[in-house]
Amino acid sequence: MAKLEAKDSQLEALIQLKNKRHDMLEEKISRIELALKVHRETNSESASLKTDEEISRQVAGKSAMPRTCQDARSADPSLSSGMYWIDPDVQGVGDAPIQVYCDMASGSPSVLHNSESPMNVGHSTDPGCYSRGVNYSATNRQMAALVELSSECHQSFKYDCYFTTFVFDNIAYSWWNNKNGNEKYFWAGMNTDVHTCQCGIDGNCVEASTK
């Protein structure tokens, strides 16, 4: 029974993928047909007809969704900061556009997630006894594309605690998992597995022996 359900799930996923590709193809065909119509209406019969790809690229260049907040700001410097749709992995290719907060003063985007507000996790005594998945409003592919288009990226977690330990007697009590599911133990700095707070890096923790 379990094998049958697994096959059904695989079949449903394949059908969804096929439908998505079909929709993308129809959208591309519609854009090309529109471009051809515009071209024929605005050019004489004696004018040389451009290829579908050239026309599609020309129309897309005029109406394409921006890939970044910087692109949106460059296209219209009068835009104010707020929520905007962008398409980092190129319009009409790959995943659907994503909605981000654009700081138009700097042209920087912020991808929101489901843990924006503070929450009380209660009292915990065992290692890793509380966990929460952080789900971003963008697919992994769009996130990766946005990273490639950015000069720098930041990801922050704020952890307010009182008499809470990250590690005690060489036992890890707190960690977070990266996008590959790997446990990480640093809470400040970059790419280190040492249990470290910002005060440990700055050297101004309440107890100098701790980090």
Side-chain angles (χ1 to χ4, degrees), residues 152-168:
E152 60 180 68
C153 300
H154 304 275
Q155 183 180 35
S156 301
F157 293 95
K158 184 176 182 180
Y159 179 45
D160 294 321
C161 59
Y162 181 74
F163 270 106
T164 301
T165 182
F166 289 152
V167 59
F168 183 73

Side-chain angles (χ1 to χ4, degrees), residues 72-150:
R73 186 179 69 167
S74 297
D76 185 357
S78 66
L79 291 177
S80 58
S81 297
M83 300 300 296
Y84 291 89
W85 289 96
I86 62 174
D87 197 357
D89 70 350
V90 185
Q91 184 189 34
V93 178
D95 294 349
I98 59 176
Q99 192 174 32
V100 300
Y101 178 84
C102 288
D103 180 352
M104 289 306 180
S106 61
S108 301
S110 294
V111 181
L112 305 183
H113 54 73
N114 67 335
S115 298
E116 298 284 343
S117 302
M119 62 196 71
N120 190 334
V121 303
H123 180 65
S124 301
T125 56
D126 298 323
C129 59
Y130 172 85
S131 65
R132 178 178 178 83
V134 180
N135 300 314
Y136 285 86
S137 58
T139 62
N140 288 338
R141 174 170 175 159
Q142 288 285 34
M143 293 277 278
L146 190 57
V147 168
E148 289 296 323
L149 294 170
S150 305

Side-chain angles (χ1 to χ4, degrees), residues 173-185:
Y173 279 79
S174 302
W175 62 87
W176 53 275
N177 298 83
N178 65 12
K179 64 180 181 180
N180 298 318
N182 300 321
E183 295 176 0
K184 295 296 179 180
Y185 302 96

Side-chain angles (χ1 to χ4, degrees), residues 199 204-210:
C199 70
N204 58 3
C205 292
V206 175
E207 294 186 13
S209 62
T210 65

